[in-house]
Amino acid sequence: MISLKRVAGSAILISFCVGLTAAFISIEATNPKIISSLAPMQDSYLIHPNDHIANTPRPIDNYPYPIKMDDIGPITPLFSGSLQYPFICMTEDSGFGQPIVDNQNGWGMPVFREGSDREKRGNIIGYSKDCSIQTGLQYHIIKENNQIELYTDQIIGEKDQLIRTEYGVIHRYIYLISMPITPSEIGSRLAKSQWNNKLIYQFTGGAGIGFRQGSMKPEKLIERRVEQLKSGYAVVTSGANRTSYTYNMLLSEDTARRLKKHFISLYQEPSYTVGVGGSGGGLAQYIMAQNAPGLIDGAIPLYSYPDMVSQTLYALDCDLLNSYYSFNSNDQEYWQNWDNRVHVDGLNAKNAEPHKGAFFQPINQILKAQAPSYPKGNSECINGWFGLYAFIHNPRQGWLRNYVTNELKQHVHWSHWQDLVNVYGKDEHGFARDVWGNEGVQYGLQALKNEQITIEQFIDLNKKVGGWRENHEFEKEKITTIPFSNIKIWLSLWGNHNSTTNSAQSHNGIAPRKPTDKLAVEKAYRYGQVFLGKSDIPILDVRHYLEDNLDMHHVSASFSARLRIKDFNGDYDNQVIWVADENYSPVVQAFETMDTWLLNIKAGKNITQAKPIAATDKCFDAKGNTIAQGSTVWDGDWNQQPNGQCSSQFKIYSNSRIQAGGPWSGAVFECAKVSVESAIKSGIYGKVNISQYKTELDKIFPKGVCDYTKGDAAMPKNLLSKL
């Protein structure tokens, strides 16, 4: 059985640090193996939403499916906008050889004469800006013990399963179609005698900001879905549906639609299509259910979030809060008890737990002329989200590896927002707009009301925490190397050089907050990058309980999605939440339950009538036994109820925006503001008598404080009613 578990808590940290290390290796501009020249931009059609993308008809796709063998698929997206350059080809990383030469102008990745010395420019035979490969077939064997082997004419055992995988490109991303077959069907593209007429669309997670094709290896896809392939399912996927490479959900949908049309043109319409995938691959299914009805008929999101952009609200708070605890607090010893950080971060933290950034803290403190101290714990804010702001948000940093020249790096804004600049648009400085802001956010408000921090600590925190600078003001991370070693030292820990706390913007000891760009938020809503709860398909939300590991995939995200579904639909009958001990994987059981649910719907029952008995909220122990199940087992703070049996067993943590008084559903990009005086009168501070601090709070929050009862002030009016 393939385990649901993945070492994901530090996934962003690891991928970022690996990329960062590579970024600081000197790259010669003359290196023939890397991109030195950008292809000219190609204007492509970008769909314009009617209120919301879900209400907007997609253009007719006139491509003559199926994609022919030894040919290439469509390069230009149908409706998701222009092609992005630079674009890093990774066909060789995927095992499919060099990409096809498509120009002699020096645009894109160099292509070399086969078997030649790639250190010599004279061996370049052309360039590939669009990373195409010819459509082809590979064969693999799933052995009786579930080991995967490449088929090379060896004898196939009686209990082995042969898998044919078609590979090719759509929109420059590699796609894969895996189908169980018999040995007699080798060589036939269309053979499907082992197919059960059911299709799995594999979405995959990770942290990505675009600019690369990504590695797509057939054996990895087979390994992920080994049990389902052995049961007769066909499986499709694309690099455009892997968030390691892009969080562009419009491009993800555009590609998924075309890949599914290609599949149907070869094998007929499946009985149903079920989505599956973890983390970013989980949130993609929520977004597809909302934006593209009919693309998938059921969803099995694993380790999911409702969407990417609303989670950045609290994730980008993390480094600001870490910077406050490490450098700016009046009471640093208090925050050395990591249990106290939970009251503000919301996310879990542990005393005496080491973390990879600990070594940098005393060095950075000395550089700031402060007494050095070594951190005495770790938190999800660090273990899960360390470096996220630099990777996702800092246009000067982001994903930098030795695939492009240093000169070229300076001409590209490396961030998630730039990846979706077609959607978000550009500001007056030419940088992609972003949705993050924190004006009016009273960090630690709930902790104050619960008497977990004092009024003085609350004031100090909100006075100094600040916000992120504007995108055009960002600087690269300050990193040095210890002489005669390859050890990197981060001298701008927690991105403190890019926060308003340590910039010239800080005045009178008060660090300004970053205002929300309403236009960017409007675009995010209208283009469906935010999950609003619109969904009418069965959703079986499955995850391991990983809070004790300080993993970034926290349970509360499932309930954030649930609350949005309830707000939109009036109920959440179509969503079921399963949480398991990390030593047990309920994925096979989830597929069996989803199969019954979807077949019942196909038989004519509505989604509620079709729901099998097994499709109910539950939690599992390490041996796979059900601890508890039923409609109340997950009750807790998220729905203002006493803890149920599962939430008592598996604690549900919150996040910094919830601890600041925000809703568990999240997605408040700009809160409605009220004066401090009005906040006091309306009871926002609970029983805490904060009146004598009104003048100081007025200075910290000159535009007022958040009143979360009024929803998101940046959401376009009547958007929900028109959905």
Side-chain angles (χ1 to χ4, degrees), residues 11-25 399-401:
I12 286 181
L13 171 62
I14 293 170
S15 63
F16 176 73
C17 288
V18 170
L20 202 58
T21 299
F24 286 87
I25 297 174
W399 181 78
L400 297 177
R401 298 188 182 182

Side-chain angles (χ1 to χ4, degrees), residues 497-643:
H497 67 312
N498 283 323
S499 74
T500 59
T501 301
N502 290 291
S503 72
Q505 291 175 289
S506 181
H507 58 280
N508 298 324
I510 298 174
R513 304 297 183 84
K514 184 179 185 293
T516 302
D517 185 334
K518 287 187 176 181
L519 179 57
V521 175
E522 178 183 350
K523 298 279 189 172
Y525 274 121
R526 294 197 187 280
Y527 278 95
Q529 303 299 305
V530 182
F531 180 62
L532 296 167
K534 182 180 187 293
S535 61
D536 58 2
I537 64 173
I539 300 172
L540 188 44
D541 191 303
V542 182
R543 66 176 68 235
H544 278 130
Y545 186 76
L546 300 174
E547 318 288 280
D548 293 337
N549 300 338
L550 305 180
D551 190 283
M552 67 195 302
H553 298 96
H554 40 264
V555 175
S556 65
S558 294
F559 297 97
S560 175
R562 169 164 289 186
L563 287 168
R564 297 186 201 185
I565 293 170
K566 183 179 180 182
D567 287 345
F568 189 91
N569 291 338
D571 59 57
Y572 49 83
D573 290 348
N574 66 316
Q575 189 215 36
V576 173
I577 295 175
W578 289 0
V579 179
D581 180 279
E582 63 178 308
N583 294 303
Y584 172 69
S585 173
V587 170
V588 170
Q589 186 176 339
F591 271 101
E592 292 170 352
T593 302
M594 181 60 72
D595 180 59
T596 302
W597 201 346
L598 291 173
L599 291 179
N600 286 344
I601 291 173
K602 189 175 178 64
K605 297 181 180 179
N606 65 41
I607 195 168
T608 304
Q609 295 170 338
K611 203 171 183 179
I613 295 174
T616 186
D617 287 352
K618 64 179 68 174
C619 52
F620 303 88
D621 66 16
K623 295 182 178 180
N625 300 311
T626 299
I627 298 171
Q629 61 183 342
S631 60
T632 63
V633 295
W634 286 115
D635 282 352
D637 291 342
W638 68 274
N639 65 349
Q640 294 85 51
Q641 297 294 323
N643 281 347

